[in-house]
C-alpha cells in the first residue's frame, strides 16, 4: 500500500478568520487518519502556539518555526537554532532603531520590549504579547525572530544580515531566520524519517512562507484565499478556508 502524507499550514489554511477550525476540515482530517494517511502541520508558529490545534486534530507530527524545529510522532528529529552572535548583532541594530523583536523558542516566545506593534501583530494570530525578556537570545535557543517594522524599514536588515532570510506576514511584521531554512527543508527531514516519497507528499498553504513547501511537495495546493503570487507556485488551487477548501482540495487530489 502506498503511504501518503499531507502537510497543512495553520493561519489562513487550517484556521478561518475567527481562528477556528472548520467542522468540514476536522472531518476531512479524521477521514485521512482513518484511511492510514499521515497528517502533519507545517507552520511558522512555535510548537506552544498551536498545541491546541494538534490536540483537536490528533496530530503528533509537525514542521514548526518555518522548518527550524521538526517533530515526528512527538519526537524531535531536527532543529536548527539561529547563530547567537549574529542574533545579538541583529538585536543591537533593532534596539538602536527602536524596532521591537519577538524571539521564537522551542517552548514559547519572548519579546525584546513591551510594544503596541507586537500587540497588534500577535493579535492577528489570536496570540498574546509574549513576556518581555531583553536577553531572550542568551538564555535559550532562538529558532526564529519576528521583527516589527514596515517593509521599507526591513531593507537595511536584509542588506546587512546576508545570512538571514525574511518572510513578511503582516504589514508591520516579518519573520527572520537563518538562510536556507524553510518549511520545505523541514518536510524533507520528515520524508527521510518516514521513508515516504516526495511524490506522495501533499501540502496545503496560503502564505509567502509556504511557497517553497508548495514547490517541494509532490502536489502543492494553494488555498483560494492565497495571493496570486502564492497560487502561481502551486499545482492546483482549492477553495478558500471559508469555503471548505481543505475538504474540497483533498477530494480533488483523490485522497478523500
Amino acid at each position: 500500500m502506498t503511504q501518503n502524507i499531507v502537510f497543512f499550514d495553520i493561519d489562513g489554511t487550517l484556521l478561518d478568520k475567527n481562528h477556528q477550525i472548520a467542522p468540514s476540515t476536522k472531518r476531512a482530517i479524521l477521514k485521512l487518519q482513518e484511511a492510514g494517511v499521515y497528517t502533519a502541520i507545517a507552520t511558522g508558529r512555535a510548537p506552544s502556539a498551536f498545541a491546541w490545534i494538534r490536540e483537536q486534530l490528533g496530530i503528533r507530527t509537525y514542521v514548526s518555526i518555518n522548518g527550524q524545529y521538526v517533530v515526528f510522532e512527538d519526537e524531535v528529529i531536527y532543529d536548527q537554532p539561529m547563530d547567537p552572535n549574529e542574533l545579538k548583532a541583529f538585536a543591537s541594530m533593532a534596539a538602536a532603531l527602536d524596532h521591537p523583536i519577538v524571539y521564537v523558542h522551542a517552548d514559547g516566545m519572548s519579546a525584546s520590549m513591551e510594544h503596541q506593534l507586537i500587540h497588534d501583530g500577535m493579535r492577528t494570530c489570536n496570540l498574546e504579547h509574549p513576556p518581555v525578556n531583553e536577553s531572550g537570545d542568551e538564555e535559550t535557543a532562538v529558532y526564529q525572530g519576528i521583527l516589527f517594522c514596515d517593509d521599507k524599514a526591513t531593507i537595511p536588515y536584509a542588506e546587512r544580515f546576508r545570512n538571514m532570510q525574511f518572510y513578511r506576514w503582516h504589514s508591520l511584521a516579518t519573520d527572520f531566520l537563518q538562510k536556507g531554512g524553510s518549511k520545505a527543508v523541514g518536510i524533507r527531514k520528515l520524508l527521510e524519517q518516514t521513508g515516504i516519497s516526495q511524490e506522495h507528499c501533499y501540502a496545503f498553504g496560503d502564505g509567502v512562507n509556504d511557497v517553497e513547501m508548495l514547490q517541494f511537495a509532490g502536489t502543492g495546493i494553494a488555498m483560494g484565499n492565497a495571493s496570486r503570487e502564492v497560487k502561481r507556485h502551486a499545482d492546483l488551487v482549492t477553495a478558500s478556508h471559508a469555503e471548505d477548501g481543505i475538504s474540497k482540495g483533498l477530494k480533488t487530489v483523490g485522497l478523500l
Side-chain angles (χ1 to χ4, degrees):
M1 178 179 175
T2 299
Q3 180 69 64
N4 294 306
I5 188 168
V6 186
F7 291 89
F8 301 97
D9 170 52
I10 292 181
D11 298 291
T13 302
L14 282 177
L15 300 186
D16 61 24
K17 63 180 181 180
N18 296 316
H19 308 289
Q20 299 297 315
I21 306 171
S24 67
T25 296
K26 291 182 180 180
R27 290 193 297 269
I29 290 176
L30 179 59
K31 288 180 180 179
L32 284 181
Q33 294 165 342
E34 290 174 342
V37 177
Y38 262 117
T39 55
I41 288 172
T43 180
R45 293 190 182 208
S48 60
F50 63 98
W52 68 274
I53 297 174
R54 301 198 303 275
E55 182 177 351
Q56 283 196 21
L57 298 177
I59 290 178
R60 299 167 53 206
T61 296
Y62 54 89
V63 172
S64 64
I65 321 178
N66 282 317
Q68 305 300 88
Y69 195 83
V70 182
V71 170
F72 174 65
E73 295 187 349
D74 297 327
E75 294 292 332
V76 179
I77 64 166
Y78 174 77
D79 72 316
Q80 183 62 51
M82 299 186 71
D83 180 89
N85 293 325
E86 193 164 31
L87 186 59
K88 184 177 291 187
F90 191 101
S92 178
M93 179 175 174
L97 295 172
D98 196 33
H99 292 155
I101 294 174
V102 165
Y103 300 105
V104 182
H105 313 287
D107 58 353
M109 295 182 287
S110 60
S112 63
M113 65 178 79
E114 178 84 17
H115 203 288
Q116 188 60 45
L117 288 182
I118 296 180
H119 282 288
D120 294 342
M122 302 305 283
R123 191 178 296 120
T124 65
C125 297
N126 203 32
L127 298 173
E128 299 293 329
H129 191 301
V132 174
N133 186 345
E134 295 179 2
S135 59
D137 57 323
E138 297 176 358
E139 294 188 0
T140 186
V142 174
Y143 292 89
Q144 178 177 278
I146 307 173
L147 177 67
F148 290 83
C149 62
D150 63 31
D151 200 28
K152 184 177 181 181
T154 307
I155 295 174
Y157 293 94
E159 292 177 342
R160 177 175 174 183
F161 296 96
R162 302 277 183 180
N163 290 325
M164 293 186 184
Q165 57 195 38
F166 299 79
Y167 293 114
R168 180 159 292 278
W169 54 271
H170 186 276
S171 60
L172 293 174
T174 185
D175 293 340
F176 63 93
L177 60 152
Q178 295 296 141
K179 185 160 285 186
S182 71
K183 293 182 182 183
V185 171
I187 289 174
R188 183 183 294 112
K189 298 294 181 181
L190 272 173
L191 294 186
E192 292 171 357
Q193 179 76 18
T194 61
I196 298 174
S197 70
Q198 188 174 349
E199 177 187 359
H200 295 108
C201 169
Y202 300 78
F204 285 78
D206 74 303
V208 174
N209 64 336
D210 294 321
V211 168
E212 291 99 329
M213 173 177 76
L214 296 177
Q215 292 175 319
F216 176 80
T219 304
I221 306 157
M223 303 298 291
N225 47 282
S227 68
R228 182 179 301 176
E229 176 63 17
V230 173
K231 291 176 181 177
R232 187 171 68 85
H233 295 284
D235 295 298
L236 63 94
V237 178
T238 186
S240 75
H241 56 46
E243 301 171 314
D244 302 326
I246 287 179
S247 178
K248 292 176 180 176
L250 290 170
K251 290 176 181 176
T252 298
V253 299
L255 291 179
L256 287 183

